Amino acid sequence: MPVKIGFIGAGRMAEAMMRGLITEGVYTEGEIAACDPILEIRERVAKSLGVSVRVSAAEVAGMADVLVLAVKPGNVADLFTKEGLRLEPRHLLISIAAGIGIGTLESFVPDSRVVRVMPNHCCMVLDSASGYSRGTKATDDDMALVGEILSSMGLAFEVKEGDLDAVTGVSGSSPAFFYMFAEAVAEAGARNGLPKDVALELAAQSMVGAGRMMLESGMTPKELVDGVCSPGGTTIEGVKVLEDKGLNATVQEAVEAAIKKSRVLGG
């Protein structure tokens, strides 16, 4: 069976993407190849997913027309300048290397098409929220394929490259903020008698449900808040504390800080 997509780098994010593609039937195990210089990673991916594994990026590039660049940002340049990786006009390069702009990527692969992606780590449970941007040579068919690939592991939107820094703050970094919020909620529950593990699961499931309500109810966040808050009830008391403590401004400041850092890293 011919290989249709190759992964340059097979770390946790790449592994999650491959799992999503297989689970959703976008590609079969036999249509996926991956490379990684670390033997332990190659063995883990081969065993858990059944995909073909190689040592070098050049081997994978020779097998597939569609390539996912999933190495650490600091290792991208070395692939092309030291390891001598060369791509051809037939190649579509989908980069998930954070902070590496389309212009830089296209300077390494001037004959190929490039799409830059900002996924988030929730792709590991096939619930990612991603943004992606087209390079100068990417076609509508390329963008449709990237959309299909990303949709296999969650929600995805095509955006302008200049908006990817905002995507980084809104979906790339925000899971950490949500985890912190859930931890704080669970700690309050534990102080009031709940077992900590039960409190954590209740908080986590409440986050899942709240997210689903936002996506499926057609209601605004304010309408949803109002729907939980009964006059003189319990929720409104907590909402008043969050408003008094400046939750909205604090969260916005955190997201803005992540966006600002993304812009600095991207040059």
Side-chain angles (χ1 to χ4, degrees):
M1 183 177 296
V3 171
K4 294 184 178 180
I5 186 169
F7 284 75
I8 301 174
R12 294 296 184 184
M13 189 78 80
E15 183 179 358
M17 290 182 69
M18 287 185 271
R19 189 179 305 281
L21 292 172
I22 294 167
T23 300
E24 296 300 316
V26 181
Y27 297 105
T28 66
E29 295 91 332
E31 293 173 328
I32 301 174
C35 69
D36 201 281
I38 301 175
L39 175 61
E40 179 184 354
I41 292 177
R42 294 198 304 273
E43 291 179 340
R44 183 187 72 230
V45 169
K47 181 178 180 180
S48 66
L49 300 178
V51 303
S52 175
V53 294
R54 297 289 187 273
V55 175
S56 75
E59 288 181 273
V60 170
M63 301 169 71
D65 292 345
V66 180
L67 301 171
V68 178
L69 183 62
V71 300
K72 293 180 180 179
N75 296 335
V76 170
D78 286 351
L79 275 173
F80 302 98
T81 60
K82 293 185 179 180
E83 297 181 32
L85 177 62
R86 296 288 181 268
L87 302 190
E88 303 171 15
R90 66 183 176 89
H91 285 118
L92 167 63
L93 183 66
I94 304 168
S95 173
I96 64 169
I100 308 296
I102 288 173
T104 299
L105 293 165
E106 290 184 335
S107 72
F108 292 132
V109 293
D111 298 323
S112 305
R113 292 113 58 213
V114 170
V115 176
R116 182 183 169 195
V117 176
M118 179 62 224
N120 75 0
H121 87 150
C122 299
C123 72
M124 295 181 185
V125 291
L126 304 187
D127 247 330
S128 184
S130 306
Y132 59 104
S133 301
R134 68 171 67 206
T136 59
K137 295 182 180 180
T139 67
D140 289 344
D141 286 344
D142 292 333
M143 300 308 289
L145 175 61
V146 173
E148 182 181 13
I149 289 170
L150 296 177
S151 295
S152 73
M153 54 182 175
L155 194 65
F157 292 96
E158 181 179 353
V159 300
K160 296 179 295 184
E161 185 182 19
D163 292 335
L164 283 180
D165 294 312
V167 172
T168 298
V170 170
S171 61
S173 299
S174 64
F177 310 152
F178 299 144
Y179 301 149
M180 292 172 69
F181 192 92
E183 176 74 11
V185 169
E187 286 178 354
R191 283 200 306 271
N192 284 273
L194 279 175
K196 182 64 179 293
D197 59 339
V198 171
L200 272 173
E201 289 202 39
L202 288 171
Q205 181 58 42
S206 297
M207 289 174 61
V208 171
R212 186 59 58 195
M213 286 289 290
M214 287 185 64
L215 289 171
E216 297 182 359
S217 69
M219 300 169 70
T220 67
K222 185 179 187 309
E223 289 172 335
L224 289 167
V225 170
D226 290 344
V228 183
C229 293
S230 301
T234 59
T235 307
I236 191 64
E237 292 303 309
V239 168
K240 287 177 181 177
V241 172
L242 293 175
E243 289 176 341
D244 290 344
K245 296 292 185 180
L247 173 70
N248 188 282
T250 300
V251 171
Q252 288 192 42
E253 187 176 346
V255 175
E256 292 278 3
I259 293 171
K260 181 178 179 181
K261 183 65 173 181
S262 178
R263 288 172 176 156
V264 169
L265 292 175

